[in-house]
Amino acid sequence: MSLVDGSHGSSRWSPHDLRRSPRAIHRGEPPLLANNPPAPQRRYIHHVEMTKLCPDAKTALSLSGLKSGDTIAVGGFGLGGTPETLLNELASREDGPTDLTVASLTAGVDDFGLGRLFEAGKVKRMISSYVGENKNFEHMFFTGQLEVELVPQLTHMSSQGTIAARLRAAGNGMPAIFTPAGAGTLYSEGGIPLKYNSDGSVAIASPPRQTQMFDGKEYVMEPALRPEVSLVKAFKADTRGNLVFRGTSQNANPDCAVAGKVVLAEAEIIVEAGEIDPDEVHLSGVYVDHLIQARDNEKRIERLRETNAGKVTDISGGRGRIVRRAAKEFKDGRIHIELQAENGLMGLGPYPDPTLNQHSDPDYINAGKETVTAIRGASSFSSSESFSMIRGGHIDLTILGGMQCSASGDLASFFIPGKLLKGMGGAMDLVSSPSTVIVTMEHVAKNGSPKIVKQCSLPLTGKGVVDRIITDMCVFDCDKRALRNGGLTLTEIASGLTIDDVRAATDCPFDVASGGVKLMDDD
């Protein structure tokens, strides 16, 4: 209903207003006069009270008009911020809608949250950036029971930051966005499997995407993602639908909410209108159609990680060497080192320490779904805001893993066709950003084959994006901009190895630093 406050604070209703969805309140107030200064304290003007509260999830889903074949957007990252109550109700309804297309950052795990939808046979197609921990989901994909879009296609899937931006674009009334993520890869060129046949052959592959050059750089055009219904989870809400999130459980929940034609929200705590200060509201109730009390709040912790008196598990061997060398990338003299978790936390702290009375909190996880703490002065935000920081060049250094790297700085890190399905996660956005990109990985695969090659055989995460490669054997600098005719330069080597050892394990030629090769373990 549309409420207009007249010049004397009276309320006037139009018969047309009674036919509208109670989403928007338009308020006009009289102009301030010179002899009528604003009151120093906040005051609430007269309004007609309304509530968006529904008695239960069944009622809310019925009111949403959700039907078979619709697209739904679901908030959550890993198991954090997952609308458990709404998903459990949707999965358990034998006569409920089927053949759904589901858009979500991750696919969760077996027998929980989104996992229950897959097991109930409700989903035809999944739009997601990362699916790695759901083994049933992976099996369904490779046996042809499920379509999975790992490329941006029409109204479908993209990398983690891009899918959040596409949801946000829909909520902003924008038809499309342009992103550097995935330019020059199968992400834009097409060819990644969307569906397999039962015999393992590819049934549907992604077609090419439209690209455009801006200031000499290639960008991929991504259409806005507009689901029929969005399911979101908040920590706190009021009866008008204003939402407050907590920690990293915010993730894509606000982005899903602004995009949905109809939005169902569940909250752990619900209070009367006016009990949440306007300045504390994270998402306005204008985006929420129906609100329920969250009855299912298991809030599983996917990866419990703790320290004890500041001690962490010792990492030895080749991986330990990689970790120690990567730590040296944080140079002395920088003003301040602050860690960002791409799922929505700036000021990432260590694992919780029970000896300091720090308890594991499912609402505070990192991008690996591990329990973490936040340092003093930290801030939390949505997924779209997180990747705006990254793409906008506000993050200086990116360190991530890989499956293959090429001599020209190409990176493959998310997919082995027919064998392994993890998803891009946020990697495409991370490597396409202006930050320095460092890849950490073992020098050879488990079968002994080289992972540093002339040309990547796996689908690319980014083309010409890697600045440095740190392995258990050595350190390479990548001339990704061909400032020195391209290629790799060996700058450091592990103790006990020779340059010939590195050549034997590397499937591309490389130069050796003119000033000599240092030992990785040297300070």
Side-chain angles (χ1 to χ4, degrees):
M1 297 180 182
S2 178
L3 171 62
V4 179
D5 287 346
S7 60
H8 298 289
S10 60
S11 301
R12 295 183 288 108
W13 296 94
S14 164
H16 174 72
D17 294 329
L18 299 177
R19 298 194 298 269
R20 296 183 59 197
S21 173
R23 295 188 69 162
I25 298 176
H26 306 285
R27 176 173 294 129
E29 298 195 28
L32 293 175
L33 303 178
N35 60 354
N36 184 27
Q41 74 278 4
R42 178 177 287 111
R43 61 187 180 89
Y44 297 99
I45 65 172
H46 170 69
H47 68 277
V48 176
E49 190 58 66
M50 69 174 185
T51 179
K52 297 183 179 180
L53 189 61
C54 291
D56 51 41
K58 182 178 181 180
T59 303
L61 285 166
S62 297
L63 290 171
S64 74
L66 181 66
K67 62 185 184 300
S68 294
D70 278 353
T71 295
I72 63 173
V74 182
F77 178 85
L79 306 185
T82 303
E84 299 175 45
T85 308
L86 290 164
L87 288 173
N88 288 345
E89 174 63 29
L90 183 58
S92 64
R93 295 179 65 177
E94 295 183 0
D95 59 343
T98 59
D99 292 329
L100 297 172
T101 295
V102 178
S104 185
L105 295 187
T106 62
V109 296
D110 299 340
D111 194 34
F112 182 83
L114 280 173
R116 294 197 59 197
L117 285 189
F118 302 128
E119 291 159 12
K122 301 284 187 179
V123 182
K124 176 184 179 181
R125 173 169 289 181
M126 181 66 182
I127 303 170
S128 186
S129 65
Y130 187 82
V131 299
E133 277 68 44
N134 194 322
K135 296 301 181 184
N136 178 62
F137 178 99
E138 195 169 1
H139 172 75
M140 291 177 68
F141 176 52
F142 284 127
T143 56
Q145 303 174 59
L146 184 68
E147 297 176 15
V148 179
E149 300 201 17
L150 291 177
V151 293
Q153 181 53 41
L154 297 179
T155 58
H156 299 307
M157 161 63 196
S158 56
S159 74
Q160 189 177 128
T162 307
I163 195 171
R166 291 174 62 198
L167 289 165
R168 180 64 63 170
N172 291 343
M174 298 169 59
I177 62 169
F178 284 91
T179 173
T185 73
L186 283 183
Y187 191 82
S188 61
E189 295 171 355
I192 293 180
L194 303 181
K195 184 180 181 181
Y196 284 96
N197 293 310
S198 58
D199 62 1
S201 61
V202 176
I204 305 174
S206 63
R209 296 289 297 137
Q210 181 178 337
T211 64
Q212 189 164 330
M213 300 296 291
F214 293 95
D215 296 327
K217 187 173 182 178
E218 187 178 19
Y219 288 76
V220 180
M221 190 185 80
E222 301 278 9
L225 180 52
R226 183 73 160 168
E228 279 77 27
V229 178
S230 290
L231 311 180
V232 302
K233 173 72 172 287
F235 172 67
K236 190 176 184 180
D238 67 18
T239 52
R240 293 173 66 88
N242 294 312
L243 304 183
V244 177
F245 303 98
R246 184 171 182 272
T248 56
S249 66
Q250 181 171 178
N251 51 67
N253 277 295
D255 305 313
C256 292
V258 301
K261 296 177 183 178
V262 177
V263 178
L264 310 184
E266 61 179 83
E268 297 176 46
I269 300 171
I270 298 178
V271 299
E272 293 295 328
E275 293 188 32
I276 300 176
D277 190 289
D279 294 335
E280 296 175 352
V281 173
H282 291 148
L283 185 77
S284 171
V286 73
Y287 296 108
V288 176
D289 293 285
H290 306 292
L291 172 70
I292 67 163
Q293 179 75 52
R295 303 296 181 187
D296 300 333
N297 290 302
E298 183 179 347
K299 299 178 70 172
R300 291 187 190 178
I301 292 176
E302 191 166 345
R303 293 179 177 172
L304 178 63
R305 296 289 187 270
E306 294 179 336
T307 64
N308 192 328
K311 296 179 180 179
V312 296
T313 303
D314 180 52
I315 304 176
S316 58
R319 288 202 168 191
R321 185 179 303 114
I322 294 172
V323 170
R324 290 191 298 273
R325 176 56 187 82
K328 295 180 181 179
E329 295 298 321
F330 299 95
K331 304 296 185 182
D332 291 338
R334 289 187 175 177
I335 296 173
H336 182 66
I337 295 174
E338 191 159 330
L339 302 180
Q340 190 235 37
E342 66 184 28
N343 56 312
L345 181 64
M346 176 63 76
L348 188 67
Y351 299 141
D353 187 344
T355 65
L356 300 177
N357 201 31
Q358 296 173 349
H359 302 289
S360 299
D361 188 334
D363 288 340
Y364 279 85
I365 60 174
N366 61 17
K369 292 90 171 179
E370 300 172 319
T371 49
V372 294
T373 58
I375 66 171
R376 188 172 182 177
S379 59
S380 60
F381 31 81
S382 68
S383 295
S384 58
E385 182 73 17
S386 173
F387 284 94
S388 292
M389 294 178 186
I390 293 166
R391 286 191 300 267
H394 305 286
I395 306 298
D396 301 304
L397 179 64
T398 293
I399 300 178
L400 74 167
M403 295 176 182
Q404 285 182 338
C405 277
S406 77
S408 56
D410 299 343
L411 170 66
S413 68
F414 75 96
F415 186 44
I416 300 177
K419 296 181 179 180
L420 178 67
L421 176 68
K422 289 294 183 183
M424 301 96 163
M428 282 190 171
D429 293 280
L430 290 167
V431 300
S432 66
S433 73
S435 68
T436 299
V437 175
I438 297 174
V439 172
T440 57
M441 63 181 186
E442 282 88 356
H443 206 97
V444 299
K446 291 181 179 179
N447 63 4
S449 61
K451 297 174 70 173
I452 301 175
V453 294
K454 295 178 184 177
Q455 186 173 351
C456 293
S457 59
L458 299 175
L460 295 185
T461 304
K463 187 175 180 63
V465 296
V466 180
D467 292 284
R468 178 166 290 170
I469 306 169
I470 301 174
T471 76
D472 52 330
M473 294 183 70
C474 67
V475 177
F476 284 122
D477 282 346
C478 303
D479 184 21
K480 66 181 184 183
R481 296 180 179 86
L483 300 178
R484 302 181 304 276
N485 298 318
L488 303 177
T489 300
L490 180 68
T491 60
E492 300 177 37
I493 194 169
S495 178
L497 297 179
T498 67
I499 294 176
D500 286 340
D501 291 332
V502 175
R503 291 193 192 280
T506 307
D507 191 34
C508 63
F510 57 83
D511 294 329
V512 177
S514 58
V517 179
K518 300 189 301 182
L519 289 178
M520 288 178 66
D521 295 326
D522 286 353
D523 293 332

